Amino acid sequence: MTLPLRVDHKLSLADAVSAMRGIPNSKLSGNLSGVCLDTRVLRKGDLFFALRAARDGHEFARQALDKGACAAVIEQDLPDIKEKLIRVQRTWDALGD
């Protein structure tokens, strides 16, 4: 299955967290401007999904946040990142939600 690497999508972060049944590690507010799967095409305000595919997207969560992602959706602990993470059971499922 081929997915687009980035899609414009306007949604509040609170609604996104609720839909994914995610647990944020810090207070998140505002809106996301898009959904992104690859930091090379990420735009400021995007919600980054750390998917496990050919490469593990968790390796790029810090880079996504540094480039302006509003948050990163993860399924494993990332101890070096203290904020803007949304923990879910499976990132692939959360993307579908």
Side-chain angles (χ1 to χ4, degrees):
M1 172 170 66
T2 302
L3 295 173
L5 299 177
R6 186 190 176 281
V7 175
D8 284 331
H9 191 73
K10 305 294 184 205
L11 184 68
S12 76
L13 272 171
D15 287 345
V17 169
S18 178
M20 294 183 287
R21 296 173 301 283
I23 301 170
N25 74 341
S26 60
K27 183 172 171 50
L28 298 174
S29 62
N31 298 315
L32 59 100
S33 58
V35 171
C36 186
L37 311 179
D38 188 321
T39 57
R40 294 172 292 187
V41 296
L42 186 133
R43 295 183 191 162
K44 186 175 180 178
D46 284 353
L47 181 60
F48 176 74
F49 280 80
L51 300 177
R52 289 191 171 129
R55 299 202 46 196
D56 186 351
H58 291 82
E59 297 173 17
F60 300 96
R62 169 84 282 154
Q63 182 180 6
L65 295 170
D66 289 347
K67 289 181 89 171
C70 61
V73 180
I74 59 159
E75 62 185 52
Q76 71 184 45
D77 287 332
L78 299 176
D80 295 342
I81 303 174
K82 303 298 181 206
E83 58 186 27
K84 295 186 178 184
L85 296 177
I86 302 167
R87 179 77 183 252
V88 296
Q89 281 279 297
R90 292 191 64 233
T91 52
W92 280 101
D93 293 341
L95 178 61
D97 293 340

